[in-house]
């Protein structure tokens, strides 16, 4: 198994953003099938499960708008 870093993560780390900040609210998605050729490629196979820090329902952050 190879370890691939996406372009977005590489750019965040090179811009002196700490790994903890870059990976906040990250989730781990497990798929069937073979691994993509790079971290930026679309996933292949069927999504089996999603792991998150809260271990509950996954709700993405929504930026508020208003004045």
């Amino acid at each position: 198994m190879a370890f691939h870093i996406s372009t977005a993560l590489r750019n965040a780390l090179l811009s002196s953003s700490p790994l903890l900040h870059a990976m906040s609210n990250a989730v781990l998605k497990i798929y069937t099938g073979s691994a993509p050729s790079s971290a930026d490629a679309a996933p292949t196979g069927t999504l089996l499960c999603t792991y998150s820090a809260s271990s509950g329902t996954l709700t993405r952050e929504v930026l508020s708008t208003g004045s």
Side-chain angles (χ1 to χ4, degrees):
M1 180 167 86
F3 182 73
H4 299 287
I5 297 176
S6 69
T7 304
L9 179 58
R10 182 178 291 123
N11 290 342
L13 295 175
L14 290 174
S15 69
S16 71
S17 176
L19 182 62
L20 181 64
H21 185 327
M23 297 300 289
S24 66
N25 297 323
V27 295
L28 176 65
K29 294 183 178 184
I30 307 297
Y31 289 89
T32 62
S34 59
S37 58
S38 74
D40 295 322
T44 58
T46 304
L47 179 63
L48 296 175
C49 62
T50 303
Y51 293 102
S52 65
S54 64
S55 299
T57 304
L58 179 63
T59 304
R60 293 289 184 189
E61 291 182 7
V62 177
L63 297 176
S64 60
T65 57
S67 57

